Amino acid sequence: MSEKTCFTLDHSELPKQWYNVAADMPNPAQPPLHPGTGQPVGPDDLAPLFPMDLILQEVSQERWIDIPPEVLDIYSMWRPTPLYRARRLEKALGTPAKIYYKYEGGSPAGSHKPNTAVPQAYYNKKAGIKKIATETGAGQWGSALSFAAQMFGLEALVYMVKVSYYQKPYRRSMMQCWGGKVLASPSDTTQIGKKILAQNPDSPGSLGIAISEAVEVAASNSDTNYSLGSVLSHVLLHQSVIGLEAEKQMKLAGDYPDVVIGCCGGGSNFAGISNAFVKNKIAGKDTRIVAVEPASCPTLTKGIYSYDFGDTGQMTPLLAAHTLGHDFVPPSIHAGGLRYHSVASQTSQLMLDGIIEAAAYPQVECFEAAVTFCRAEGIIPAPESSHAIRQAIVEAMKAKEEGKERTILFNLSGHGHFDMTAYDHYFAGDLVDDHMDEAGVEKALAAIAQLPKPAGYTGKPTRV
Ligand SMILES: *Cc1c(COP(=O)(O)O)cnc(C)c1O
């Protein structure tokens, strides 16, 4: 028993309900605002893009929300996912700390993203929708959504940022395997795409442009909806299965985490692993909860809490969150999934309230941590996940210095099998460390200057 490394749950222990952190947050996340009127966005504003079930989940205050049997049926293809005790990593580090990790890389798409892609496809199918349009950068979200759409007989239309379309042909092939239709963005299938191509036929595209194309298609076709892979509250809700399972598995292991860690782009896998423990922390448990981001895109550690657009094209509602400015373009680091200028409103509110904390690391030391990890534990991590590993190692080494026991839990959000070019660069020694430059905060302030400010706005980073 004491040498056990893998803690699995029986199929029957798959969570039957998602956990909604909104029910327990001491202060609610501020509502999204309509950019034209400055008023909170209502269900009718969102109805052209999302099915009503998801809109209701977005604003729900219910603590527990039933997972439909059709969704459980697909989840059970790879869930419950394993929790591992990283005994070999502990030994390699010589730490008295116990390190646990929840592994989400065993899903068909290789990451946590299908946890939300599946229910999103299900609720769209239920609403009579035929097609889901979305954007993808490096391709993780597009592949998760293509898989989920295929499971429910829907068509997935994926606008893939043009540079990635040509640089990451295998992720494109994955989407095609699951029946997804992949278009290089900007494309000539939308007004916005045509306009950009007319101005610049060689435009490499951006996530902001791809979002605008997908939203345009969804807004102008009644049989088509739009889908987002992170940031929104309903996405964080769906990801709660990660932490709910981990909570049970830690119990099986006879431990409880002193610190819970997740990498943080839009905040969905971080909320996924941590919200069950946030619930217990609000109820009195003493646990540190750490979101880890790249030093080159330090949204929580250096961003300004404000209302801002979710996209470069200024088409989305205004969201209250830490932001580096909607026009912020992070350096093209290899953890593509962490290159978002903002973060989920719920995550920002928990940060303001001191329930969670944040850390940021440059990419080279994250790859170093990833290699240390895979040489001990065998699994090759996604570059995004390596940020969580970095923090876990920092915590484990601190425990060693202090000669203290410490129980660490982190989320291994995905495997890195489609990111081997990134590892090639690391081994060749030509990865560069980018930090956000000193003018970053000023630029963020300029981007939000004309926008409304939420309660809690200070005009300064929350914590440095
Ligand atoms: C997309 C992605 C992330 C970042 O997204 P979050 O919404 O912040 O979780 C992290 N890890 C992997 C493997 C991803 O694919």
Side-chain angles (χ1 to χ4, degrees), residues 111-113 140 230 263-269 337-338 382 384-385 413-414:
S111 75
H112 65 292
K113 288 191 172 77
Q140 290 111 319
S230 186
C263 67
C264 190
S268 76
N269 91 88
L338 304 184
E384 289 83 0
S385 318
S413 52

Side-chain angles (χ1 to χ4, degrees), residues 186-188 190-203:
S187 75
D188 60 4
T190 62
Q191 296 304 320
I192 181 90
K194 281 182 196 153
K195 195 172 134 199
I196 288 161
L197 287 173
Q199 288 161 354
N200 177 10
D202 298 322
S203 166

Side-chain angles (χ1 to χ4, degrees), residues 1-5 7 85 87:
M1 181 67 193
S2 67
E3 282 309 295
K4 208 167 161 179
T5 56
F7 299 88
R85 167 97 185 260
R87 291 187 192 273

Side-chain angles (χ1 to χ4, degrees), residues 128-420:
I129 290 298
K130 300 276 180 281
K131 203 189 281 190
I132 306 181
T134 197
E135 74 286 336
T136 199
Q140 290 111 319
W141 172 242
S143 43
L145 191 76
S146 298
F147 157 71
Q150 176 61 34
M151 291 298 106
F152 290 104
L154 293 171
E155 202 180 308
L157 182 62
V158 184
Y159 286 92
M160 186 171 188
V161 177
K162 194 175 274 174
V163 278
S164 307
Y165 183 90
Y166 291 110
Q167 278 175 0
K168 316 234 170 193
Y170 297 133
R171 281 250 168 71
R172 193 207 317 157
S173 310
M174 283 171 81
M175 294 184 245
Q176 287 165 343
C177 279
W178 286 307
K181 188 169 170 206
V182 191
L183 293 166
S185 168
S187 75
D188 60 4
T189 64
T190 62
Q191 296 304 320
I192 181 90
K194 281 182 196 153
K195 195 172 134 199
I196 288 161
L197 287 173
Q199 288 161 354
N200 177 10
D202 298 322
S203 166
S206 71
L207 212 47
I209 296 170
I211 294 176
S212 303
E213 287 204 277
V215 167
E216 182 186 318
V217 170
S220 48
N221 292 284
S222 61
D223 68 349
T224 306
N225 267 346
Y226 172 69
S227 176
L228 202 61
S230 186
V231 179
L232 297 180
S233 302
H234 68 264
V235 178
L236 275 52
L237 172 79
H238 301 154
Q239 294 294 352
S240 67
V241 288
I242 303 172
L244 293 171
E245 288 177 6
E247 197 184 6
K248 285 191 190 172
Q249 289 162 310
M250 290 297 299
K251 213 175 265 173
L252 276 183
D255 271 321
Y256 192 88
D258 298 308
V259 51
V260 179
I261 301 164
C263 67
C264 190
S268 76
N269 91 88
F270 167 68
I273 187 74
S274 63
N275 276 352
F277 300 96
V278 164
K279 162 173 64 66
N280 301 344
K281 182 167 184 171
I282 291 169
K285 275 267 189 196
D286 184 19
T287 306
R288 286 174 50 231
I289 298 171
V290 190
V292 192
E293 48 190 24
S296 57
C297 192
T299 315
L300 287 165
T301 44
K302 297 219 175 128
I304 304 293
Y305 176 72
S306 174
Y307 273 110
D308 196 6
F309 291 99
D311 67 325
T312 325
Q314 309 189 11
M315 291 182 54
T316 68
L318 296 169
L319 303 168
H322 290 75
T323 178
L324 298 167
H326 56 268
D327 52 4
F328 180 75
V329 181
S332 51
I333 54 161
H334 286 285
L338 304 184
R339 292 178 70 238
Y340 186 57
H341 69 275
S342 185
V343 68
S345 289
Q346 286 183 343
T347 305
S348 277
Q349 189 63 49
L350 290 170
M351 173 89 177
L352 291 179
D353 292 337
I355 294 170
I356 65 164
E357 57 189 277
Y361 297 100
Q363 64 177 353
V364 174
E365 56 189 84
C366 293
F367 275 97
E368 193 180 290
V371 170
T372 303
F373 176 84
C374 82
R375 287 183 182 170
E377 294 292 315
I379 298 171
I380 300 173
E384 289 83 0
S385 318
S386 74
H387 291 70
I389 299 173
R390 177 75 203 140
Q391 181 70 26
I393 292 180
V394 165
E395 299 287 344
M397 296 317 282
K398 209 156 60 182
K400 183 177 175 176
E401 259 167 48
E402 295 168 357
K404 280 195 191 138
E405 274 231 345
R406 175 170 306 175
T407 303
I408 301 163
L409 168 65
F410 75 88
N411 193 34
L412 187 54
S413 52
H415 67 65
H417 297 183
F418 293 92
D419 301 286
M420 297 321 294

